[in-house]
Amino acid sequence: MSKNLVIVESPAKAKTIEGYLGNDFTVKSSYGHVRDLPKSGLAINIENGFEPVYEVTEDKQAVVNELKKLAAKADTVWLATDEDREGEAISWHLMEALKLDKSRIKRIVFHEITKKAIQKAIENPRSVDIDLVNAQQARRVLDRLVGFELSPVLWKKVRPSLSAGRVQSVAVRILVEREREIDNFKSTAFFNIRGLFDLENATLKAELSRKIKDYTEAENFLKKSIGAKFSITDIETKPAKRTPAAPFTTSTLQQEAGRKLGFSVAQTMTVAQRLYESGKITYMRTDSVNLSDFALDACKNEITSSFGGNYSKTRQYNTKSKGAQEAHEAIRPTEMSAREIEGERNEIRLYDLIWKRTLASQMADAEIEKTTVTIGISTLDEMLLAKGEVIRFDGFLKVYMESSDEDESEDGNSGMLPPLKVGQTLSLSEMTATQRFTQRPPRYSEAALVKKLEELGIGRPSTYAPTISTIQKREYVVKEERLGTERQYEVLTLKGAEVKKEIKTEVTGTEKGKLFPTDIGMVVNDFLVENFPQILDYQFTAKVEEEFDIIAEGKLQWQEMMKRFYKPFHIDVVQTLETAQRATGERELGTDPATGKPVIARIGRFGPMVQIGASDDESKKFASLRSEQSIGNITLEEALKLFELPRILGEYEGKPVSASIGRFGPYIKYGNVFASLKAKEGDDPHTVTFERAVEIIQAKALADSQRIIREFDRYPDIQVLNGRFGPYIKNGKSNVKIPKDKEAAKLTIEEVLDLIKVAEENPGQKRGKFGKVASKAAEKKAFAKKTPSKKTVAKKGTTKK
């Protein structure tokens, strides 16, 4: 047995590190946290200094038992979990759960998994930093208190099964407030004036620098320009510079991967984690923009050898985020000489982004020459401006250009301008006055929300991705595409001596990958803001983060923080349960002309709905809203139309066919079969024809038949099916992977039963809900012995003395 046991939190990390250490070291994974607060109950002893009651969960018992045996045989146990607060807490929980003797424990940290970094960490061990542990405990306990006490309030006052969280609720508030800004925004029209001038082998574009307010003024401007002489009155040239962006932090990587690669925040972190654990990049949860001297030298060598010395400019950036503490270096490749890597496609793409951003951060400024040409109009006291720029030295732009969340501006810049001189007379080809409209505030993408949270000081690198995932899982927010609407606009064109008017059409308001608060998200937000203003306050939430930072520095007892927070919070909870009115977001839309009863939009047990009749009306009728509708803006006419459903369309093969809307959207019902209507193809339950319904029924039947590869008469619960990731076996509610050397269509029932038996004996091989291999938790269960979970009260003395 090895003299040294190294414990990390993931198998991939263990595999990489094992390759750098000799035979005297055994590297094992804890598969994340081995202890946590139990899922049910408060598990916090409020009266006894907010002591958390931890337990080793059932799926971690086998892991803990194995690590205990290995630790007992080792001379030294090296705790090598991540260097942030979460990693420090995992090490502390391992120390407690394994009952390790402190004299045999060495804590090591590194921000990259390379041989050099691992060896340096082994040479410089330390003890577990209890201040970092306490900061993590404070966050965990505070979030449990908030969730445990707020959720029952929502069950009673809004709807069962809802939940609330300290950071998540604030993130939802940001989105709700933006949605209200958009709802209240009143767009105003204006006109842009643009002139096109013919030059030899070129066209010059110029614009009026001010916006014209209305049609009459725009028309007059063009009419007064008839027969005018246009000449260049001034040419101004100014040098300018562009400076590269800093190396990636967690939040900027999430933002840029969203913009450039289309990654979700969670996807970015998953791919980055794989790159880190395989030794290709440094630690991916950081708010530092610093680079080590080693990295700076590596960048300089790479830049000089690839582009020349004039492209190199060594820089150190200052970290601007509040409470930066998660790590000591920005996210960068571990080896700058490795321009490309082998791996899965998204790993290659993200690595390329990180490599380019890191290299560009150490490159020279781009040198640009900006030119502004002023064009006089003989009949008007107005000037047109033509702007252009030329890159004199590309500098860092040779490698990388940062993206932006902002929409592209509609200016007249056309890059490089043709040769021009002052006094030159220009020939007008045409002049246009195009109607434009002021833009409403943009909705947040995941990347933009991360940026906003960081600006407000809410959350830390380790919390951005789980926060955004959680608010979507709870259905307070949806990320989706929404089609725009057609809008007409006017264009006036002066050509020769005539001004012509055209009415054109454009699509506006199209959204792609944006976050929309749902009706239930808005109702819950309004209820929490009204009754728990402190919890939903941006400054309070940011102050809590700052206090976690102070705890991590050993300057504040975490129990003191809990005391100050809990008493007033608990009083608010009790008072709200006793006095607050039930929240439904109810809106009365008008009166049903057929019955004279009120028509109301509100949140019901199964989501947004409309009803005809008051709450105490025993004969009231209900209808679900469509996915694109909201209780906040649905009209009376739209609501009444929902009660036209279900529509009976006819009979097909002896069974009735109808169209309606349910909890999961519009559908066709054929006997006991349900088939979804496809809104993107123009399907609408109010207008869909019988013929189209039959097409949908037949398409579903065909898809279902192709999905089933094999069925077995004696075993009706067992099927061989085609899935998203290939064929698999469905055994009741369980899915089983089919080995690559087996042909699904030729499987016998005996072979299928054998595969099911193997899967049951080795749960790590089961297919998951979407056909994926089961989680690491399932892998651990493969060798788990069923032992009762043990609950442990956190030991006293976990604060620094």
Side-chain angles (χ1 to χ4, degrees):
M1 178 62 202
S2 302
K3 295 180 180 180
N4 299 279
L5 173 64
V6 181
I7 305 177
V8 297
E9 61 271 81
S10 81
K13 187 175 174 181
K15 185 178 179 181
T16 305
I17 291 174
E18 199 165 36
Y20 298 137
L21 298 172
N23 295 330
D24 286 342
F25 289 83
T26 297
V27 186
K28 290 292 180 180
S29 168
S30 71
Y31 296 88
H33 278 279
V34 294
R35 296 195 314 173
D36 197 4
L37 299 174
K39 291 182 179 180
S40 59
L42 178 59
I44 296 167
N45 192 336
I46 295 170
E47 290 74 21
N48 194 25
F50 297 90
E51 277 189 340
V53 180
Y54 295 111
E55 72 171 11
V56 176
T57 54
E58 186 178 341
D59 68 322
K60 292 297 179 72
Q61 285 290 340
V63 175
V64 170
N65 290 340
E66 183 194 22
L67 292 176
K68 273 184 179 178
K69 291 176 184 177
L70 294 172
K73 297 175 183 178
D75 294 338
T76 304
V77 178
W78 303 80
L79 301 176
T81 52
D82 291 342
E83 63 176 326
D84 58 9
R85 296 171 193 172
E86 206 69 28
E88 205 71 23
I90 291 173
S91 281
W92 178 75
H93 281 296
L94 281 166
M95 191 171 68
E96 297 290 316
L98 303 181
K99 296 180 172 56
L100 298 175
D101 183 347
K102 289 185 180 180
S103 65
R104 295 196 302 122
I105 298 170
K106 291 185 179 181
R107 170 80 171 114
I108 55 172
V109 294
F110 36 83
H111 64 271
E112 61 182 59
I113 303 176
T114 59
K115 187 172 184 177
K116 180 180 177 182
I118 301 303
Q119 289 175 342
K120 185 177 179 181
I122 293 286
E123 292 166 6
N124 296 278
R126 60 169 174 82
S127 59
V128 171
D129 188 333
I130 205 65
D131 293 326
L132 292 181
V133 174
N134 286 336
Q136 189 274 346
Q137 282 200 114
R139 179 188 294 279
R140 189 73 183 91
V141 170
L142 182 61
D143 288 347
R144 171 57 67 93
L145 288 170
V146 171
F148 188 82
E149 299 223 353
L150 278 188
S151 296
V153 177
L154 296 179
W155 303 342
K156 184 175 180 180
K157 299 296 182 179
V158 185
R159 198 181 80 182
S161 302
L162 295 175
S163 57
R166 182 180 58 84
V167 177
Q168 295 95 313
S169 296
V170 174
V172 173
R173 181 183 180 182
I174 292 170
L175 299 174
V176 169
E177 289 183 345
R178 176 54 56 88
E179 198 66 23
R180 296 252 163 83
E181 283 182 61
I182 292 169
D183 288 342
N184 296 328
F185 181 78
K186 304 296 182 187
S187 182
T188 56
F190 61 90
F191 285 81
N192 277 337
I193 303 292
R194 173 178 291 186
L196 297 179
F197 299 93
D198 289 332
L199 300 172
E200 189 175 347
N201 300 320
T203 299
L204 178 67
K205 299 177 183 178
E207 283 194 355
L208 186 68
S209 58
R210 69 181 182 89
K211 310 298 182 187
I212 289 183
K213 294 180 180 179
D214 56 40
Y215 176 87
T216 302
E217 186 183 357
E219 185 180 39
N220 288 338
F221 189 98
L222 263 61
K223 285 182 175 178
K224 288 180 180 178
S225 298
I226 295 173
K229 293 181 180 179
F230 298 87
S231 59
I232 297 174
T233 59
D234 184 48
I235 299 177
E236 183 181 27
T237 302
K238 287 183 178 180
K241 288 185 177 181
R242 286 187 190 167
T243 302
F248 282 130
T249 62
T250 301
S251 68
T252 55
L253 177 64
Q254 289 169 343
Q255 292 166 47
E256 197 73 341
R259 299 181 193 119
K260 277 188 159 61
L261 307 179
F263 285 7
S264 69
V265 168
Q267 183 182 11
T268 299
M269 295 311 293
T270 298
V271 176
Q273 178 109 18
R274 292 203 298 265
L275 290 173
Y276 166 67
E277 291 177 344
S278 59
K280 295 181 176 69
I281 65 170
T282 55
Y283 191 51
M284 67 286 158
R285 281 189 281 273
T286 174
D287 41 20
S288 171
V289 290
N290 291 327
L291 292 176
S292 66
D293 290 340
F294 167 78
L296 294 174
D297 289 342
C299 286
K300 185 175 183 178
N301 292 337
E302 184 66 27
I303 294 163
T304 302
S305 62
S306 299
F307 311 113
N310 59 328
Y311 276 89
S312 175
K313 183 176 181 179
T314 301
R315 309 167 188 264
Q316 276 289 16
Y317 296 84
N318 294 320
T319 300
K320 296 178 181 178
S321 62
K322 298 178 182 178
Q325 47 77 33
E326 297 286 350
H328 306 295
E329 197 172 357
I331 302 168
R332 62 165 175 83
T334 53
E335 294 292 337
M336 288 306 300
S337 57
R339 295 191 184 191
E340 297 177 351
I341 61 165
E342 292 182 359
E344 184 264 333
R345 177 173 177 266
N346 283 340
E347 291 175 13
I348 293 170
R349 295 171 71 205
L350 191 65
Y351 178 86
D352 181 65
L353 191 69
I354 294 168
W355 187 87
K356 287 178 177 176
R357 173 80 164 227
T358 305
L359 197 73
S361 75
Q362 300 305 309
M363 293 179 73
D365 294 339
E367 296 175 9
I368 297 163
E369 186 177 86
K370 291 189 173 184
T371 301
T372 302
V373 177
T374 304
I375 300 169
I377 308 171
S378 63
T379 56
L380 287 163
D381 190 21
E382 302 267 14
M383 301 288 183
L384 299 179
L385 299 179
K387 296 181 179 180
E389 61 180 42
V390 177
I391 297 174
R392 295 300 183 191
F393 175 66
D394 53 3
F396 76 94
L397 294 177
K398 200 171 196 72
V399 173
Y400 184 85
M401 180 64 183
E402 186 178 25
S403 298
S404 170
D405 290 316
E406 303 301 321
D407 293 333
E408 293 182 8
S409 61
E410 297 181 354
D411 58 28
N413 291 359
S414 56
M416 190 171 176
L417 295 175
L420 300 166
K421 60 183 179 180
V422 174
Q424 182 176 344
T425 300
L426 301 174
S427 173
L428 180 69
S429 171
E430 69 174 37
M431 183 180 288
T432 57
T434 304
Q435 188 180 33
R436 297 287 80 201
F437 303 87
T438 52
Q439 297 291 313
R440 57 167 173 72
R443 288 186 173 89
Y444 287 98
S445 62
E446 286 191 357
L449 182 57
V450 167
K451 185 178 180 181
K452 184 67 174 178
L453 289 169
E454 186 178 38
E455 287 172 356
L456 293 171
I458 296 169
R460 288 293 181 262
S462 58
T463 65
Y464 298 136
T467 294
I468 291 173
S469 296
T470 298
I471 61 177
Q472 293 179 65
K473 287 175 185 173
R474 291 178 177 174
E475 297 183 352
Y476 291 155
V477 172
V478 292
K479 183 174 80 169
E480 60 187 20
E481 296 181 22
R482 291 192 183 176
L483 300 175
T485 56
E486 283 195 350
R487 175 176 68 188
Q488 290 187 333
Y489 65 100
E490 297 172 319
V491 180
L492 295 170
T493 304
L494 165 62
K495 203 167 182 68
E498 186 179 5
V499 175
K500 290 184 177 180
K501 175 184 174 181
E502 288 180 275
I503 302 293
K504 294 188 175 183
T505 302
E506 64 184 353
V507 175
T508 182
T510 301
E511 301 279 14
K512 187 176 181 180
K514 294 295 181 70
L515 298 173
F516 296 82
T518 61
D519 280 334
I520 190 63
M522 297 182 88
V523 170
V524 168
N525 172 77
D526 292 348
F527 177 82
L528 292 176
V529 168
E530 181 180 351
N531 294 284
F532 299 93
Q534 185 183 33
I535 296 295
L536 272 289
D537 181 74
Y538 299 139
Q539 291 183 347
F540 170 77
T541 309
K543 185 173 183 295
V544 167
E545 295 291 349
E546 290 171 2
E547 289 190 337
F548 291 151
D549 297 339
I550 297 170
I551 292 168
E553 294 167 3
K555 298 176 181 177
L556 176 65
Q557 298 282 330
W558 72 269
Q559 293 92 339
E560 288 300 317
M561 177 191 178
M562 293 301 117
K563 287 178 187 175
R564 289 202 309 268
F565 166 79
Y566 183 71
K567 187 175 180 179
F569 169 66
H570 184 67
I571 291 171
D572 285 345
V573 169
V574 173
Q575 289 179 343
T576 302
L577 281 168
E578 292 175 353
T579 62
Q581 297 294 313
R582 187 171 178 81
T584 64
E586 186 172 302
R587 266 181 73 229
E588 187 166 330
L589 308 180
T591 303
D592 174 25
T595 63
K597 294 180 179 181
V599 180
I600 298 165
R602 66 179 181 88
I603 292 292
R605 185 179 177 187
F606 299 112
M609 51 166 280
V610 288
Q611 70 181 49
I612 296 176
S615 299
D616 56 357
D617 185 344
E618 293 184 2
S619 61
K620 57 183 175 288
K621 295 193 296 183
F622 305 98
S624 296
L625 266 62
R626 299 176 65 159
S627 59
E628 70 273 16
Q629 293 176 324
S630 167
I631 62 173
N633 54 31
I634 189 171
T635 65
L636 176 63
E637 292 73 24
E638 290 168 339
L640 291 174
K641 199 169 183 182
L642 294 172
F643 289 95
E644 297 173 2
L645 302 174
R647 283 175 62 227
I648 305 301
L649 303 178
E651 198 172 276
Y652 176 64
E653 295 184 346
K655 296 177 183 177
V657 177
S658 61
S660 191
I661 298 174
R663 288 179 65 189
F664 305 105
Y667 64 87
I668 294 294
K669 185 181 180 187
Y670 162 60
N672 293 321
V673 175
F674 295 84
S676 296
L677 285 168
K678 299 174 181 178
K680 289 185 178 180
E681 296 181 17
D683 292 337
D684 186 311
H686 294 282
T687 58
V688 66
T689 64
F690 174 74
E691 290 74 20
R692 173 59 180 155
V694 170
E695 284 180 21
I696 293 169
I697 292 165
Q698 291 173 340
K700 178 174 174 54
L702 178 62
D704 288 346
S705 67
Q706 291 175 341
R707 181 171 176 261
I708 299 171
I709 299 174
R710 292 218 63 185
E711 291 183 302
F712 306 94
D713 293 338
R714 287 185 297 144
Y715 299 90
D717 289 340
I718 297 177
Q719 295 175 304
V720 181
L721 302 175
N722 258 321
R724 184 180 172 189
F725 299 96
Y728 67 99
I729 298 165
K730 186 176 188 296
N731 176 30
K733 294 183 178 180
S734 299
N735 297 334
V736 179
K737 186 177 182 180
I738 297 173
K740 289 182 180 178
D741 60 347
K742 299 283 186 184
E743 189 174 342
K746 294 182 179 179
L747 283 174
T748 65
I749 186 60
E750 289 76 20
E751 289 175 309
V752 168
L753 291 172
D754 284 344
L755 289 171
I756 291 171
K757 184 179 179 181
V758 170
E760 288 172 346
E761 293 172 352
N762 301 276
Q765 299 303 310
K766 283 186 182 180
R767 289 175 67 93
K769 181 178 178 183
F770 299 104
K772 298 177 182 177
V773 174
S775 65
K776 293 172 185 173
E779 293 174 21
K780 285 169 271 171
K781 282 185 179 179
F783 59 89
K785 294 179 181 178
K786 290 196 173 181
T787 51
S789 62
K790 297 178 182 178
K791 294 188 177 180
T792 310
V793 177
K795 291 186 179 180
K796 293 183 180 180
T798 58
T799 49
K800 191 174 180 181
K801 294 182 180 178

